[in-house]
Amino acid sequence: MSTSLTQLRGLVHDHDLRAVVSDLDGVLRRFDPSLWGELDAVAEVPDGTVYEAVLGHQFLDEVVRGRGTHRQWRERAASALVAAGSTPEGADAVIRGWLSSPARIDREVLDELESLRGARIPVFILTNGTDRVPEELDDLGITPFLGPGRRFLLNTADLGAAKPDREAYALAHARIEHELGEDLRAEQVAFLDDSPRHVRGAAAYGWHAVLHRTE
């Protein structure tokens, strides 16, 4: 078991935790890191161009706060690729390749989260996500893990604020209280994320925050 999962288990054991919150991408859901280089070749652009046009696009900050759609983001990413030297056909091929790129669930993480659920600790997923997240999770086959009506999914596109903004943790905490039907102190929640910035934001809010690293 990874050190971060061991640390999370220790927090549950040593503190009066009433909920655990896990990130999605980079923790529970993982992608092949070679994808971006392959897509650079498809677009015939310098290394790193596709990553910057897609995940580095400033409009993504709007999308994960519910102020834009995944479709709008895709269109802007394709335009950025053309501006960077790709042909329109190449940019379209890149976007299709990105959308169809396979993701996988980290079984070790999922097993640990399910184990916590088995110990009667509610587990939520907090993701800087888009309006397409429910569809993506359906495709991965883990919708049952999200509970009836996806009650355990905290998607920032729905919340209206994104990590590491303090408001995102406050809104997520309020949703957790609503779903559990009880008031929780911030220190009764543990948080797992692979982003140091997001971990610092959660810790500043008062959650027990653990930086996830794969080993």
Side-chain angles (χ1 to χ4, degrees), residues 30-121:
R30 305 189 66 81
F31 294 92
D32 184 350
S34 68
L35 168 69
W36 302 108
E38 295 171 0
L39 294 178
D40 284 329
V42 171
E44 299 182 335
V45 292
D47 291 347
T49 300
V50 173
Y51 183 93
E52 185 61 27
V54 178
L55 294 187
H57 201 292
Q58 63 182 7
F59 187 67
L60 178 57
D61 286 341
E62 299 296 308
V63 177
V64 299
R65 288 169 172 82
R67 300 195 290 260
T69 67
H70 197 285
R71 176 181 292 277
Q72 291 170 327
W73 175 31
R74 298 196 305 267
E75 292 170 349
R76 284 163 171 77
S79 295
L81 285 170
V82 172
S86 173
T87 65
E89 294 77 15
D92 288 344
V94 163
I95 299 302
R96 290 195 303 272
W98 164 48
L99 289 177
S100 63
S101 60
R104 67 176 180 85
I105 293 298
D106 188 317
R107 290 302 313 183
E108 182 181 51
V109 173
L110 182 59
D111 288 348
E112 182 61 20
L113 297 181
E114 289 182 329
S115 176
L116 291 172
R117 282 253 183 96
R120 299 182 181 277
I121 303 293

Side-chain angles (χ1 to χ4, degrees), residues 142-203:
I142 65 165
T143 298
F145 179 75
L146 304 176
R150 301 189 184 93
R151 64 187 295 249
F152 296 113
L153 174 62
L154 307 172
N155 184 358
T156 63
D158 299 325
L159 296 177
K163 301 176 288 185
D165 299 347
R166 182 178 179 84
E167 185 184 5
Y169 304 104
L171 290 169
H173 191 91
R175 269 283 309 279
I176 292 169
E177 291 181 319
H178 174 76
E179 292 298 338
L180 300 185
E182 60 180 305
D183 294 336
L184 300 181
R185 301 186 308 277
E187 62 267 23
Q188 290 181 300
V189 178
F191 176 68
L192 182 69
D193 200 297
D194 66 319
S195 164
R197 291 178 66 236
H198 297 173
V199 167
R200 288 193 297 268

